[in-house]
Amino acid sequence: MKLTSVFTVVAAALSASHAQPVNDCWSESLGFPCCPSSFCEIVKTDSHGSWGFRNNEWCGISTDCENISDEESTEIVVGNEEDIVVIESDSNVEDNDVEDEKNKFVSDIVFNIKDNLNNEKIVNVASLEDLDLNVDGYHFSGAFEDDKYTKFFDFSNVTQSNTYDIFLKYDKREQYTKQSGIDLTGYVDSLIERTTSFIPYWNKEMFKGTWNYIDGVFLNSVINLYKKTNNEKYKDFFIKYVNYYVSEDGTFVHYTADGVKTVDNEMGWVNGELDTVCESKILFDAYEMTGDKRYLTAIEFTYKKLMEMPYCYNSPNFWHKTFYINQIWLDGMYMYAPFLARYALLKNDLSILDDIKNQYAFIHDNMRDENGLYHHGFDTTKTIFWSKNNDGKSENFWLRSMGWFAVSLADILEYYPEGENKEYLKSILEELLNGILPYQDKTTKMFYQVIDRPEEIQLVDKFYFSNLKNSKYGNINTFVSNYVESSGSSMLAYSFLKYGKVYQNGGNFEEIGKEIFEAVYKHSYKNNTLSDICITAGLGPEVKTYRDGTLSYYLAEVVGDDDAKGVGPFIMAFIEYNY
């Protein structure tokens, strides 16, 4: 026997608490139908008006809705005409499935959403993770409390069964277009002019007062610009600035922010890290240009300090820092490998080049993922808290870490003689560049802060913002989008350009590098300022559990302008692009 049910649904008449125009289907503008004029069962009321739930969807209730008496009923017949079973009731009865669905919606979080694209809608979600904020062709800039977009919305206290007004802001994702006539020499000049003493304009992280890699990244671009232009002002600035921090006898110098100077290696040099070694690679240039032996003294001191660094467990690689125990970071290779390779040539000790090649090989074999990308960090003991899979690898693929790694390879190749080592290093750089290309953004032609998660929007906990002192958001939980980042994109532009020009015969890497550089120039360089720079990022140590390598962490780090970690690679890419 086939069963057919006839359900009698009796609607209870309820009055709306918010007035709407008579017979005006006000909810259609919000993406919802209006209820029939005879349907008056109010489920909830918000700032827009009164809502009913019918046929498994929300509908807007009009104020001219007539009361329906308790005796009125509607019969719904389902099935064949034969063997009909009728279920009737004089009281309000609804299908259980519909009732369950309605109850679920009633318990949802409701958002009245308006945005700067003139869209307005009501969204119901069971949890914040279900809130879809992406709009095709646009970059999500934030959820705000007000239509002036002055204060980010705090999702900390959002609860179910409540309604909230939020205002979303989006920026148009501009399509890359070919650029021409690019000249950054005026930009370099402005950065130099704003650095009048030992306090650099280009360091947006914090004043260090010591020999440090951030200064080294910018000075490296200045000296390379001098080599291409022969403009003495770049050489003069370079030597003058280096001599602030290297005394006449080759001792490193320390400054306080108010100018107190101390000539002392123990104060002017930061022990126990690879980062400080980075700047010392420019000492070779200073010595070659001047013949001043202070730089040789400083070079020897740097080498001594590097050789004091511990080696990771079961690895030929150095610890990144002495409090990053048994940890290899991709950026570490940029920090010391070019210096060490130049030192090998200075001393005519090619065995050092063998050691460097083995260090690259270990990273390639242990940190490269099957997707072609490299993990930011690797703990050779596989015990660190930020390795979510307990395999020693950090969870995500941070753009600038791969950028540092690529640049280190592009630079170090010129110090290797022809042979097996050089061919191996060329092969892993070419593999890296080919591996990252599928992740290039098709619209802007740049690359994302977290490479393989384009335009992903993440609810970031206040735990990250407060610990990272990110004042843009403050002590709140709010949504942040992954973004195209200029420093890492510039590093890749430089690497593609340099490798393509020098080593690739008949390939397209040089053209790809030009495209990426032009993309950064178009998207992130405005009004003599380079923006979209992640100021800093790292992993741990254990006392800093918020530096955990998650997407939330990388998106919570401060984004700024004109920091040398972006400016230096941007200028280096310009040099390869233009000369």
Side-chain angles (χ1 to χ4, degrees):
M1 171 179 173
K2 296 179 181 178
L3 298 182
T4 303
S5 300
V6 179
F7 296 93
T8 303
V9 181
V10 181
L14 298 172
S15 62
S17 60
H18 285 254
Q20 297 106 16
V22 174
N23 292 321
D24 181 22
C25 192
W26 57 272
S27 60
E28 283 189 343
S29 65
L30 303 176
F32 295 89
C34 279
C35 304
S37 60
S38 61
F39 188 87
C40 301
E41 184 178 353
I42 298 174
V43 176
K44 64 167 62 178
T45 300
D46 62 18
S47 60
H48 295 284
S50 298
W51 295 89
F53 190 81
R54 185 174 181 273
N55 295 334
N56 289 333
E57 65 178 346
W58 291 100
C59 57
I61 294 179
S62 177
T63 54
D64 69 344
C65 179
E66 297 293 333
N67 291 341
I68 301 177
S69 69
D70 289 342
E71 288 75 28
E72 290 179 329
S73 65
T74 302
E75 290 186 344
I76 303 173
V77 181
V78 182
N80 297 331
E81 294 180 357
E82 60 183 28
D83 299 326
I84 294 177
V85 176
V86 180
I87 304 174
E88 295 185 323
S89 173
D90 290 334
S91 61
N92 291 339
V93 178
E94 290 192 69
D95 178 85
N96 288 336
D97 291 338
V98 174
E99 182 66 25
D100 290 344
E101 187 69 16
K102 185 176 74 173
N103 290 336
K104 181 182 79 67
F105 272 82
V106 171
S107 67
D108 278 352
I109 308 166
V110 180
F111 290 102
N112 299 321
I113 297 176
K114 295 181 180 180
D115 63 35
N116 62 320
L117 307 178
N118 296 320
N119 296 317
E120 187 174 350
K121 61 183 178 180
I122 296 174
V123 175
N124 297 70
V125 291
S127 67
L128 292 176
E129 287 73 20
D130 298 329
L131 190 59
D132 183 5
L133 302 176
N134 286 100
V135 175
D136 288 344
Y138 290 85
H139 173 73
F140 173 77
S141 295
F144 296 82
E145 292 185 356
D146 61 298
D147 60 3
K148 303 299 182 183
Y149 309 107
T150 59
K151 186 176 181 181
F152 287 98
F153 188 92
D154 186 0
F155 291 84
S156 303
N157 298 315
V158 168
T159 56
Q160 290 182 315
S161 304
N162 282 307
T163 301
Y164 302 90
D165 296 330
I166 59 174
F167 301 87
L168 308 182
K169 186 177 181 183
Y170 295 91
D171 296 322
K172 179 71 175 176
R173 300 184 65 240
E174 295 184 12
Q175 185 72 42
Y176 160 81
T177 54
K178 180 72 178 173
Q179 305 292 295
S180 60
I182 299 175
D183 185 358
L184 294 182
T185 55
Y187 178 48
V188 178
D189 293 346
S190 70
L191 294 169
I192 289 174
E193 289 164 2
R194 284 179 279 186
T195 299
T196 56
S197 65
F198 58 89
I199 301 178
Y201 172 77
W202 56 77
N203 186 344
K204 306 302 180 180
E205 194 172 325
M206 62 179 180
F207 173 66
K208 295 184 179 296
T210 61
W211 196 245
N212 68 87
Y213 85 95
I214 300 174
D215 290 353
V217 171
F218 180 72
L219 293 174
N220 180 64
S221 68
V222 171
I223 198 56
N224 278 280
L225 188 58
Y226 165 71
K227 291 176 181 178
K228 295 295 185 181
T229 64
N230 292 315
N231 190 325
E232 290 293 320
K233 68 180 177 183
Y234 298 129
K235 174 184 174 182
D236 293 343
F237 173 79
F238 172 81
I239 294 299
K240 181 180 179 181
Y241 194 88
V242 169
N243 288 349
Y244 278 127
Y245 287 95
V246 182
S247 68
E248 292 181 359
D249 67 355
T251 302
F252 288 102
V253 177
H254 175 268
Y255 292 90
T256 62
D258 56 1
V260 177
K261 176 180 177 180
T262 304
V263 180
D264 185 349
N265 280 329
E266 292 304 312
M267 296 181 66
W269 178 274
V270 180
N271 286 307
E273 65 173 36
L274 299 179
D275 290 359
T276 311
V277 177
C278 174
E279 188 172 10
S280 287
K281 74 177 181 180
I282 65 175
L283 294 173
F284 295 95
D285 299 297
Y287 177 68
E288 289 169 2
M289 288 188 298
T290 66
D292 190 333
K293 292 187 177 180
R294 75 169 79 184
Y295 307 122
L296 286 179
T297 301
I299 288 170
E300 292 294 348
F301 180 83
T302 299
Y303 177 75
K304 173 177 174 291
K305 287 298 181 181
L306 177 59
M307 292 300 105
E308 292 175 359
M309 290 294 293
Y311 288 93
C312 292
Y313 172 74
N314 279 345
S315 168
N317 298 69
F318 298 111
W319 293 8
H320 191 70
K321 295 184 180 183
T322 50
F323 52 81
Y324 295 131
I325 301 169
N326 290 304
Q327 292 178 34
I328 304 167
W329 293 10
L330 282 184
D331 32 314
M333 295 307 292
Y334 178 84
M335 298 303 159
Y336 78 86
F339 166 84
L340 191 54
R342 296 187 77 169
Y343 186 83
L345 298 187
L346 178 70
K347 295 297 185 179
N348 194 27
D349 185 354
L350 299 187
S351 68
I352 295 175
L353 297 181
D354 294 334
D355 293 338
I356 299 171
K357 178 260 182 181
N358 291 335
Q359 291 164 341
Y360 276 106
F362 185 88
I363 289 176
H364 174 270
D365 294 346
N366 290 276
M367 297 176 68
R368 183 177 181 272
D369 193 82
E370 61 184 13
N371 64 9
L373 304 178
Y374 282 76
H375 296 269
H376 181 182
F378 179 58
D379 168 29
T380 60
T381 66
K382 303 180 181 181
T383 58
I384 193 66
F385 76 93
W386 43 252
S387 178
K388 305 303 181 185
N389 295 322
N390 297 317
D391 58 2
K393 300 170 186 176
S394 56
E395 180 179 356
N396 281 292
F397 307 102
W398 179 42
L399 175 62
R400 194 161 70 225
S401 69
M402 278 195 70
W404 289 126
F405 190 65
V407 170
S408 73
L409 283 162
D411 283 350
I412 207 171
L413 286 172
E414 65 186 89
Y415 308 125
Y416 273 78
E418 296 301 324
E420 184 179 339
N421 282 348
K422 186 168 188 173
E423 289 304 311
Y424 173 78
L425 295 174
K426 286 168 59 179
S427 72
I428 65 170
L429 176 55
E430 187 162 344
E431 178 188 61
L432 181 154
L433 296 176
N434 280 317
I436 203 169
L437 265 182
Y439 300 94
Q440 184 182 21
D441 179 40
K442 299 299 187 292
T443 302
T444 64
K445 300 300 183 181
M446 292 172 64
F447 293 85
Y448 281 88
Q449 163 79 341
V450 179
I451 301 171
D452 61 335
R453 303 175 78 168
E455 293 300 320
E456 187 165 336
I457 299 171
Q458 178 81 0
L459 180 60
V460 179
D461 193 275
K462 65 183 72 174
F463 167 73
Y464 296 97
F465 295 131
S466 59
N467 280 291
L468 294 168
K469 297 180 173 56
N470 191 333
S471 59
K472 176 180 178 179
Y473 298 102
N475 191 32
I476 65 172
N477 295 357
T478 199
F479 285 94
V480 183
S481 177
N482 197 8
Y483 59 96
V484 288
E485 201 272 342
S486 63
S487 70
S489 295
S490 295
M491 291 174 183
L492 291 175
Y494 170 78
S495 301
F496 274 104
L497 279 163
K498 187 170 185 178
Y499 186 82
K501 289 166 66 175
V502 177
Y503 300 108
Q504 194 183 44
N505 295 321
N508 61 349
F509 277 7
E510 182 178 359
E511 291 306 312
I512 292 171
K514 288 180 178 179
E515 179 184 72
I516 300 169
F517 171 71
E518 290 175 2
V520 176
Y521 179 83
K522 174 178 171 57
H523 183 276
S524 300
Y525 182 70
K526 311 284 185 184
N527 302 317
N528 222 32
T529 298
L530 182 67
S531 59
D532 304 316
I533 303 170
C534 173
I535 298 301
T536 187
L539 298 165
E542 286 82 349
V543 295
K544 296 182 178 180
T545 55
Y546 51 90
R547 291 177 25 129
D548 57 6
T550 59
L551 179 63
S552 286
Y553 163 68
Y554 286 115
L555 298 186
E557 279 285 12
V558 175
V559 180
D561 304 331
D562 285 344
D563 185 86
K565 295 182 284 293
V567 170
F570 186 51
I571 297 168
M572 290 298 292
F574 163 70
I575 293 169
E576 292 296 327
Y577 175 88
N578 206 50
Y579 296 99

